[in-house]
Amino acid sequence: MVESIALHTRLKPGTEEAYADAHAHIPAELVTALKEAGVRNWRIWRSGLDLFHVVDVDNYQKMRHALADHPANVPWQASMAELLEVQDDYSGEDAGIQKVWELP
């Protein structure tokens, strides 16, 4: 069963263009690592400085653990850390944003 996980991150002011540009050029090895870790899809929306992610993944905690020290993810996370005030926690212990409601 695929999980849909919502996440929230926040950009540092003035980094909107750099963030969009980085995501226009995702490294192929990162895409491969995400897919190998069970990510089916990852979508990001931006409202001002707030970023909202929806990740469709086989097992969220397993994916986080698999990517925490992955050689394709570590440099990507370092570059994102320069752009984000609030960023994802790759400990694998989080569960994303709590779902309140879903259309039955």
Side-chain angles (χ1 to χ4, degrees):
M1 183 174 142
V2 175
E3 301 175 80
S4 290
I5 304 294
L7 304 169
H8 172 250
T9 54
R10 185 169 178 81
L11 291 170
K12 293 177 182 175
T15 64
E16 299 92 335
E17 188 174 327
Y19 186 84
D21 189 48
H23 284 79
H25 303 95
I26 303 288
E29 57 273 8
L30 180 58
V31 171
T32 298
L34 289 165
K35 289 180 178 183
E36 288 175 351
V39 175
R40 304 289 184 97
N41 199 1
W42 194 313
R43 297 168 307 281
I44 305 170
W45 291 264
R46 183 173 69 82
S47 177
L49 297 176
D50 291 299
L51 301 166
F52 301 94
H53 310 242
V54 176
V55 184
D56 298 326
V57 61
D58 295 333
N59 182 310
Y60 180 70
Q61 274 74 33
K62 185 177 175 183
M63 178 269 291
R64 289 298 211 189
H65 287 291
L67 294 175
D69 296 318
H70 193 286
N73 189 47
V74 170
W76 177 259
Q77 292 306 318
S79 66
M80 290 299 103
E82 296 176 12
L83 305 175
L84 299 172
E85 284 184 357
V86 176
Q87 62 188 49
D88 293 335
D89 170 17
Y90 269 85
S91 69
E93 303 305 318
D94 69 295
I97 298 171
Q98 180 181 0
K99 182 176 14 176
V100 176
W101 180 82
E102 182 174 344
L103 182 67

